[in-house]
């Protein structure tokens, strides 16, 4: 045994316990420790059967993903070696599962003769989420356990299956109601006493599915799996499980596993896996920083954002007091929330009683007094500094002493907002992304005086309401929107230089983005920016400089999807963008009036200029300390801007292109297009040193 795996005999049962915190990953040494333990149990005549389990909070949660990024020394016992030791064992081995049996962990359990688990244990093959596939014979065993029609969707979605469903599917044989060790030992003794056969799933076969099953399944994942590699390799593995003998199927699985493992997609997704965990670590706010209890919340403003924010809290079971200025707005906001839930119930993703229970957690009010005792208030009023200051002056007077005062501002200076209160240490930005009840990203904006306790509490609250919280600093647009402004500028410039909206959008869609900037503008509403620009021009007393193309489009009453016309036109009731000759004429006329000589712009230039604009601004954001690490920026783009997860984000994308090439290209753009392409100093430094963003 190794110190990673313990073996002890309990009442004639050899209990093998993996102790490799935090998730009992199959790191180097764990398979060998298990092999040694099986050997010890097999050779001890007093041992009738063996139980394999995890110490701490879980069974085995899979292979150690770190070891795919930095392979361990060759020669250590593998998952396959361990599985072989089970298959040659002369005594039954029973997997006893609590917490998670995932990836290689579930594959380990499926190679045992029997499996039992606690009622709240979870089972899954989530390898697809990190760009690979179950490479421990799982693609051949799971279809033999529950049929390929059920196994394939589980492997392609990577979803976790709760114990009761796992029992129904045949993934486990028995649910242990109380103490797992006692229950598993009793189950093992029963199997031994009944002299049950050493069941080997490898010896079973997979019933052929309906003739068109694989084709239909492949079509069904088309939208979700667009651009991904692993889902389609998993389909090939599933076919092999039906068509080939077990060992040949395993050989096929190994080939396809290597195809995935060596792909850039696996590197991107594995880096993103760790990046989404790293972003919760804040150097000057240690993990043990005390946090406040957040048991109640209030949301100020019941508009689109306020309503969505309120839903996040009630979805997590946190009661919300929803404050609006007048009854009409309050009623309208409540109706939007109700409709959102009704849609989810209609799709079968929520029960009516759950909907009613959640709606019951909202207390509508028109009075500030009613929010005074809530633990956190999130302001979601109009994006106007003076209005927000007025709100925070009131909150400062009304809210209980230890309340957190959060603003949902998307660009305004959190320090300036905090400055009108007597408690700037309690003020923080919680920038939700629209639709707030759907988008995972939550930019948490630390003010200069925000206390560590408030930061730690708000980061923790972000996870509680199932967001991906990323801490950012104060600047115009924080991280995501500040970079997006640079990206959008390039897209708009290319429209003037010769491209059409549909060409820019198609190039970026093919790159993997959920949608291009012009379709996105139509979705968000072109009038939002247009009204802000008009107001700022009026406030500044400056003449509205010549209306840009987007202003002219708005002047035509074309606000995007909401008016069935924007950069594109839309058939009634449809959200599908259709290129509109009127826009092409408007663009060409605009260029003629300014003697702009248009030219064809290739896809490569479109992608390069938009991506490098993100990268250059991201590097400046890192220089200024507005983001803690390059991977935080990638987490922001993967969770808030539809950046393809298999590329992780713009910063890792730049690392994979090579910063030397990126820097040189930006320098050429700087010469050709001017100051907007001023290279970031950090990018220059890293490129000259031959380093990557991930090196800092
Ligand atoms: N390898 C290495 N580290 C891991 C890990 C793993 N598989 N899973 C978690 N960690 C680390 C994580 O980085 C974090 O570290 C800490 O554990 C807690 O994680 C051959 C090829 C198990 C549901 O994909 O889904 O098996 O930040 O914050 O929210 O076919 O972790 O504390 O330093 O996520 O309670 C397949 C991945 C691998 C499961 C727990 N398995 N993990 O969630 O904690 S490939 C997976 C998870 C494989 C075989 C194939 C979740 C969790 P730190 P956490 P959590």
């Amino acid at each position: 045994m190794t110190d990673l795996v313990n073996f002890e005999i309990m009442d004639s049962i050899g209990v093998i316990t993996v102790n490799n915190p935090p998730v009992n990953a199959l790191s180097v040494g764990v398979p060998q420790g298990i092999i040694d333990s099986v050997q010890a149990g097999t050779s001890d005549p007093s041992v009738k059967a063996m139980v394999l389990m995890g110490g701490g909070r879980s069974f085995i949660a899979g292979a150690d993903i770190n070891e795919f990024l930095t392979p361990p020394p060759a020669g250590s016992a593998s998952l396959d070696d361990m599985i072989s030791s089970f298959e040659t064992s002369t005594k039954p081995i029973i997997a006893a599962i609590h917490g998670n049996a995932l990836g290689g962990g579930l594959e380990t359990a499926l190679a045992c003769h029997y499996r039992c688990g606690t009622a709240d244990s979870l089972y899954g093959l989530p390898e697809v989420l990190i760009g690979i596939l179950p490479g421990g014979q799982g693609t051949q065993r799971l279809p033999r356990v529950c049929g390929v029609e059920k196994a394939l969707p589980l492997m392609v979605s990577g979803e976790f299956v709760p114990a009761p469903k796992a029992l129904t599917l045949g993934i486990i044989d028995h649910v242990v109601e109380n103490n797992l060790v006692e229950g598993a030992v009793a189950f093992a003794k029963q199997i031994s006493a009944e002299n049950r056969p050493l069941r080997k799933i490898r010896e079973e076969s997979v019933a052929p599915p309906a003739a068109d099953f694989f084709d239909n399944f492949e079509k069904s994942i088309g939208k979700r799996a667009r651009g991904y590699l692993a889902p389609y390799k998993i389909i090939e593995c599933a076919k092999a499980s039906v068509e080939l003998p077990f060992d040949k199927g395993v050989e096929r699985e190994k080939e396809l596993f290597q195809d995935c493992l060596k792909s850039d997609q696996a590197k991107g997704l594995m880096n993103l896996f760790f990046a989404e965990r790293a972003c919760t670590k804040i150097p000057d706010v240690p993990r043990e920083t005390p946090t406040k209890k957040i048991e109640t919340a209030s949301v100020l403003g019941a508009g689109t954002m306020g309503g969505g924010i309120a839903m996040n809290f009630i979805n997590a079971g946190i009661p919300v007091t929803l404050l609006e200025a007048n009854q009409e707005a309050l009623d309208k906001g409540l109706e939007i929330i109700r409709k959102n839930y009704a849609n989810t119930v209609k799709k079968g993703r929520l029960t009516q009683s759950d909907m009613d229970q959640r709606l019951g957690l909202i207390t509508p009010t028109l009075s500030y007094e009613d929010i005074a005792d809530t633990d956190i208030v999130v302001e979601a009023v109009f994006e106007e500094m003076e209005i927000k200051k007025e709100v925070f002056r009131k909150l400062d007077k009304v809210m209980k002493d230890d309340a957190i005062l959060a603003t949902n501002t998307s660009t305004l200076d959190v320090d300036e907002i905090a400055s009108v209160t007597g408690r700037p240490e309690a003020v923080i930005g919680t920038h939700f992304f629209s639709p707030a009840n759907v988008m995972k990203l939550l930019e948490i904006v630390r003010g200069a005086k925000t206390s560590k306790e408030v930061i730690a509490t708000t980061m923790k609250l972000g996870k509680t309401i199932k967001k991906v919280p990323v801490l950012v600093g104060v600047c115009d647009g924080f991280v995501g929107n500040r970079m997006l402004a640079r990206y959008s500028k390039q897209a708009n410039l290319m429209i003037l230089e010769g491209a059409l909206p549909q060409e820019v959008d198609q190039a970026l869609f093919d790159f993997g983005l959920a949608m291009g900037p012009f379709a996105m503008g139509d979705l968000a509403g072109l009038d939002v920016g247009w009204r802000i620009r008009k107001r700022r021009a009026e406030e500044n007393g400056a003449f509205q400089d010549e209306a840009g193309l987007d202003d002219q489009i708005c002047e035509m009453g074309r606000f995007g999807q909401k008016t069935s016309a924007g950069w594109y036109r839309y058939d009634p009731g449809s959200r599908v963008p259709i290129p509109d000759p009127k826009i092409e004429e408007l663009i060409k006329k605009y260029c003629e009036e300014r003697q702009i000589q248009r030219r064809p712009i290739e896809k490569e230039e479109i992608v390069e200029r938009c991506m490098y604009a993100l990268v250059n601004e991201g590097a400046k954001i890192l220089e200024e300390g507005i983001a803690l690490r390059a991977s935080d920026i990638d987490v922001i783009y993967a969770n808030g801007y539809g950046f393809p997860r298999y590329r992780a984000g713009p910063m890792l994308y730049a690392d994979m292109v090579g910063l030397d090439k990126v820097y040189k290209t930006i320098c050429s753009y700087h010469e050709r297009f001017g100051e907007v392409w001023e290279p970031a100093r950090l990018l220059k430094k890293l490129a000259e040193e031959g380093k990557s963003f991930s090196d800092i």
Side-chain angles (χ1 to χ4, degrees):
M1 281 63 76
T2 64
D3 58 2
L4 292 169
V5 179
N6 181 56
F7 178 76
E8 59 181 304
I9 298 172
M10 290 181 191
D11 195 5
S12 79
I13 302 299
V15 178
I16 305 167
T17 306
V18 177
N19 293 304
N20 185 24
V23 296
N24 287 326
L26 289 166
S27 313
V28 168
V30 173
Q32 187 59 58
I34 294 172
I35 291 169
D36 297 346
S37 301
V38 168
Q39 182 57 40
T42 306
S43 56
D44 183 327
S46 73
V47 170
K48 300 282 180 287
M50 284 169 272
V51 161
L52 170 61
M53 62 189 298
R57 64 181 194 172
S58 177
F59 189 69
I60 300 165
D64 185 334
I65 304 171
N66 293 292
E67 294 178 1
F68 293 123
L69 294 172
T70 44
S76 44
S78 68
L79 173 52
D80 286 338
D81 299 330
M82 178 184 69
I83 288 173
S84 299
S85 74
F86 297 175
E87 297 186 324
T88 53
S89 168
T90 55
K91 300 178 180 176
I93 301 172
I94 292 91
I97 294 148
H98 71 301
N100 303 299
L102 302 174
L106 179 53
E107 291 172 307
T108 298
L110 290 174
C112 293
H113 303 104
Y114 295 91
R115 286 151 294 282
C116 65
T118 58
D120 60 354
S121 52
L122 295 170
Y123 304 80
L125 294 175
E127 289 88 340
V128 67
L129 303 181
I130 52 173
I132 51 179
L133 54 83
Q137 307 173 21
T139 67
Q140 305 304 304
R141 280 197 170 84
L142 189 62
R144 283 171 167 75
V145 164
C146 62
V148 72
E149 296 93 329
K150 290 196 172 69
L152 182 52
L154 287 178
M155 294 191 287
V156 168
S157 67
E159 69 181 271
F160 296 4
V161 171
K165 184 174 175 186
L167 184 65
T168 309
L169 289 172
I171 291 173
I172 56 175
D173 308 294
H174 171 60
V175 173
V176 174
E177 290 309 332
N178 299 311
N179 179 291
L180 179 64
V181 177
E182 288 169 12
V185 166
F187 185 45
K189 288 179 71 176
Q190 180 189 350
I191 287 166
S192 171
E194 293 170 359
N195 203 20
R196 282 198 210 176
L198 298 182
R199 179 187 172 197
K200 293 180 183 176
I201 291 172
R202 58 173 292 121
E203 292 169 353
E204 296 165 15
S205 61
V206 186
D212 54 3
F213 166 72
F214 287 113
D215 288 347
N216 289 344
F217 181 79
E218 185 160 338
K219 286 192 193 91
S220 75
I221 64 168
K223 192 161 177 259
R224 197 161 26 99
R226 176 175 70 90
Y228 283 86
L229 178 69
Y232 297 95
K233 298 290 184 182
I234 290 172
I235 292 172
E236 292 311 305
C237 289
K239 287 178 184 172
S241 75
V242 177
E243 297 158 0
L244 300 176
F246 184 84
D247 289 329
K248 289 289 180 202
V250 168
E251 276 175 35
R252 184 78 179 113
E253 175 191 278
K254 299 267 173 261
E255 289 163 17
L256 295 164
F257 177 81
Q258 287 304 322
D259 291 350
C260 294
L261 186 60
K262 67 187 181 213
S263 70
D264 283 348
Q265 292 197 6
K267 183 177 176 187
L269 285 162
M270 288 179 186
N271 274 284
L272 190 58
F273 173 87
F274 288 117
E276 287 176 336
R277 285 150 182 84
C279 61
T280 60
K281 297 177 180 70
I282 304 156
D284 68 334
V285 182
R287 196 187 280 249
E288 56 277 358
T289 302
T291 54
K292 298 170 183 280
K293 256 188 186 308
I294 301 292
E295 293 173 329
T296 57
S298 49
V299 175
L300 213 161
T304 309
M305 288 305 288
I309 293 168
M311 289 176 71
N312 289 311
F313 286 113
I314 58 180
N315 290 343
I318 298 173
V320 168
T321 304
L322 185 60
L323 171 61
E324 249 298 352
N326 60 67
Q327 194 60 46
E328 184 193 354
L330 189 55
D331 293 344
K332 188 175 172 216
L334 286 167
E335 183 52 21
I336 291 171
I337 294 172
R338 195 196 61 71
K339 275 190 184 150
N340 276 337
Y341 279 126
N343 276 339
T344 311
V345 170
K346 199 171 156 193
K347 290 174 188 165
R349 295 208 302 260
L350 190 71
T351 63
Q352 186 61 50
S353 61
D354 279 347
M355 170 176 163
D356 299 340
Q357 184 266 333
R358 291 182 193 182
L359 290 175
L361 291 175
I362 299 180
T363 305
T365 182
L366 301 176
S367 158
Y368 271 81
E369 300 314 315
D370 290 343
I371 66 172
D373 290 334
T374 51
D375 299 321
I376 183 171
V377 55
V378 181
E379 165 273 313
V381 300
F382 198 70
E383 190 71 356
E384 183 49 59
M385 182 55 87
E386 287 316 311
I387 297 175
K388 290 192 187 293
K389 283 182 173 180
E390 190 47 39
V391 163
F392 273 78
R393 287 190 190 97
K394 282 184 188 169
L395 292 176
D396 190 30
K397 287 194 180 71
V398 167
M399 297 306 294
K400 66 178 184 180
D401 289 350
D402 62 347
I404 292 178
L405 314 184
T407 169
N408 176 53
T409 183
S410 57
T411 59
L412 299 175
D413 185 330
V414 173
D415 291 328
E416 189 176 342
I417 293 171
S419 69
V420 301
T421 73
R423 43 178 141 173
E425 71 285 351
V427 178
I428 194 164
T430 49
H431 177 209
F432 290 85
F433 285 73
S434 181
N437 54 306
V438 173
M439 294 302 284
K440 301 292 283 180
L441 178 62
L442 176 59
E443 278 186 326
I444 294 186
V445 190
R446 73 182 293 175
K449 296 179 179 168
T450 305
S451 74
K452 296 184 179 189
E453 186 187 26
V454 167
I455 292 170
T457 303
T458 313
M459 290 292 286
K460 185 178 170 187
L461 176 65
K463 287 194 81 169
T464 304
I465 61 174
K466 303 227 182 318
K467 295 297 179 187
V468 177
V470 185
L471 190 67
V472 298
V474 175
C475 69
D476 185 5
F478 313 133
V479 173
N481 283 346
R482 171 171 159 182
M483 290 168 63
L484 188 71
R486 296 295 183 176
Y487 162 94
S488 305
K489 179 146 184 81
Q490 289 307 309
N492 286 304
L493 284 172
M494 284 188 276
I495 291 297
L496 298 183
E497 292 169 27
L500 291 173
Q502 57 269 32
E503 292 169 343
V504 173
D505 282 356
Q506 191 62 51
L508 292 162
F509 180 80
D510 293 346
F511 175 77
L513 288 175
M515 67 172 68
F518 298 102
M520 176 64 79
D522 278 0
L523 173 67
L526 303 175
D527 54 321
V528 176
W530 174 58
R531 294 189 208 288
I532 291 175
R533 287 193 296 275
K534 278 165 73 82
R535 194 180 55 254
R536 284 179 179 167
E538 284 149 21
E539 279 165 1
N540 302 339
F543 287 105
Q544 173 105 5
D545 63 9
E546 59 178 339
L549 259 175
D550 41 5
D551 294 332
Q552 286 191 18
I553 290 172
C554 287
E555 301 290 351
M556 294 158 69
R558 296 172 67 115
F559 297 159
Q561 288 189 15
K562 63 176 82 168
T563 55
S564 295
W567 285 103
Y568 297 92
R569 68 175 182 78
Y570 300 83
D571 288 339
S574 163
R575 302 163 68 104
V576 178
I578 303 169
D580 188 342
K582 286 184 191 156
I583 291 296
E584 186 167 344
E585 285 158 32
L586 178 75
I587 292 170
K588 289 181 175 166
K589 180 169 173 291
Y590 187 92
C591 290
E592 278 158 19
E593 288 166 353
R594 291 159 184 77
Q595 290 84 43
I596 296 173
Q597 187 55 45
R598 295 176 64 75
R599 64 179 173 91
I601 300 187
E602 298 304 321
K603 279 189 170 210
E604 292 70 23
E605 180 178 346
I606 292 170
V607 170
E608 202 169 72
R609 282 174 62 178
C610 287
M611 287 301 117
Y612 290 7
L614 289 176
V615 174
N616 201 34
E617 197 62 24
K620 292 175 182 174
I621 282 169
L622 287 171
E623 280 168 17
E624 298 165 26
I626 299 293
L628 284 171
R629 43 183 91 79
S631 62
D632 282 11
I633 294 173
D634 288 342
V635 171
I636 285 170
Y637 263 76
N639 287 283
Y641 292 84
F643 204 89
R645 290 182 66 84
Y646 58 79
R647 296 181 188 275
M651 309 311 273
L652 184 72
Y653 170 70
D655 280 351
M656 290 169 84
V657 167
L659 294 192
D660 183 50
K661 176 177 186 300
V662 172
Y663 173 63
K664 286 192 174 114
T665 306
I666 287 176
C667 289
S668 70
Y669 287 156
H670 188 203
E671 282 168 28
R672 194 171 152 202
F673 299 111
E675 280 321 290
V676 73
W677 282 104
E678 168 79 32
R681 289 190 309 279
L682 174 63
L683 178 60
K684 178 177 187 299
K685 180 174 180 294
L686 291 173
E688 287 169 349
E689 293 170 0
K691 288 184 178 170
S692 301
F693 287 117
S694 46
D695 290 328
I696 50 174

